[in-house]
Amino acid sequence: MFAIFEPMNPIIAPSMLAADFGNLQRDVEMINNTEAEWLHMDVMDGVFVPNISYGPAIIKTMASYTNKFIDTHLMIVQPERYIKEYADAGTHNLTVHYEACTHLHRTVSAIKESGMQAGVSLNPHTPVHLLSDMINDVDMVLIMSVNPGFGGQKFIANAVNKVSELKELILKNNSNAKIEVDGGVTDQNAGALVNAGADILVAGSFVFKSMDPAATIRNLKNCN
Ligand code: DX5
Ligand code: ZN
């Protein structure tokens, strides 16, 4: 580790992909009564990833039921075409994929000019060092710990190493970028992720399929 840091309790971002789509209002209101600070919205286009989820209209509806921070994760090609739509839907942080952006600097700048925070996500095969020239321009880096496209997949353990490497890059450059991890997060890997430098943990199935989501969120927050 390049510099010492003190791990804090992570922000928990339940992924609404794992909610009951027939009861989105109920499930957002359920999360409102937990210690989760963020709601994670997964947008999938059937092109960048095999699956299709929901878009700005559904996110706007879900956002209208909460005061929590709306964290939108675009798993779509040409995300620069839809920045305004996601700002209008109530997004606070908009994350695009490194692999989907030919002009990543331009896209990140456009997101910030729209009044949102800007995140960049790396697929499991994409090395952290590719962000070295952008690390002072982004508000967040999202490390994918599964191949994007579906909830409920198995955690890829190498994500912990990537979080350590990213934390070192951030500290070395005095960047304010936060580190988010998404995919297969459970109480089995949350502690290692936070000790490696993760600031935000996304959790879908682990929260929504648990008997007591509020207790599951509380345990994830206190994992380190
Ligand atoms: C995967 C999505 C994730 C997913 C996480 O492509 O980006 O946000 O909803 O779900 P779990 O926690 O079930 O892996
Ligand atoms: Zn996601």
Side-chain angles (χ1 to χ4, degrees):
M1 180 52 68
F2 181 82
I4 304 295
F5 75 98
E6 199 59 47
M8 309 260 283
N9 285 350
I11 287 173
I12 305 300
S15 168
M16 300 311 293
L17 189 67
D20 175 353
F21 283 3
N23 289 287
L24 286 175
Q25 180 173 2
R26 181 200 68 190
D27 282 2
V28 170
E29 287 171 351
M30 182 275 287
I31 297 297
N32 284 345
N33 294 317
T34 72
E35 291 172 39
E37 294 92 340
W38 290 16
L39 290 185
H40 185 80
M41 307 290 189
D42 286 307
V43 179
M44 306 177 177
D45 65 354
V47 180
F48 182 72
V49 291
N51 200 5
I52 297 177
S53 56
Y54 45 70
I58 304 285
I59 291 174
K60 188 170 192 169
T61 306
M62 285 195 273
S64 73
Y65 302 136
T66 188
N67 292 319
K68 294 196 188 270
F69 186 96
I70 304 295
D71 174 38
T72 300
H73 175 194
L74 297 185
M75 288 161 275
I76 66 174
V77 298
Q78 299 183 303
E80 65 279 359
R81 294 172 61 202
Y82 296 102
I83 291 169
K84 187 178 182 310
E85 282 79 353
Y86 288 99
D88 291 347
T91 294
H92 298 100
N93 178 89
L94 189 65
T95 296
V96 296
H97 265 262
Y98 176 90
E99 303 83 8
C101 295
T102 308
H103 298 288
L104 182 62
H105 188 277
R106 178 181 290 153
T107 302
V108 162
S109 302
I111 292 171
K112 292 197 287 192
E113 278 159 23
S114 302
M116 296 180 286
Q117 295 181 17
V120 175
S121 181
L122 302 179
N123 273 339
H125 71 274
T126 304
V128 164
H129 70 79
L130 290 174
L131 284 180
S132 59
D133 286 299
M134 288 276 301
I135 200 66
N136 292 101
D137 299 307
V138 297
D139 295 295
M140 190 181 84
V141 178
L142 168 49
I143 299 288
M144 288 305 304
S145 40
V146 298
N147 286 293
F150 302 95
Q153 301 184 83
K154 188 174 175 293
F155 181 79
I156 298 172
N158 187 50
V160 179
N161 301 326
K162 290 178 78 172
V163 170
S164 297
E165 200 185 327
L166 176 59
K167 186 69 184 178
E168 197 170 324
L169 181 71
I170 287 169
L171 291 172
K172 196 169 74 183
N173 288 280
N174 287 319
S175 161
N176 292 321
K178 299 286 182 225
I179 302 177
E180 183 175 51
V181 181
D182 183 10
V185 171
T186 68
D187 57 356
Q188 299 298 301
N189 47 45
L193 290 167
V194 170
N195 287 324
D199 303 292
I200 305 124
L201 301 177
V202 176
S205 332
F206 190 63
V207 166
F208 282 98
K209 298 213 184 317
S210 73
M211 294 291 288
D212 184 349
T216 301
I217 288 167
R218 192 177 318 120
N219 290 339
L220 282 176
K221 267 197 94 61
N222 293 296
C223 62
N224 58 322

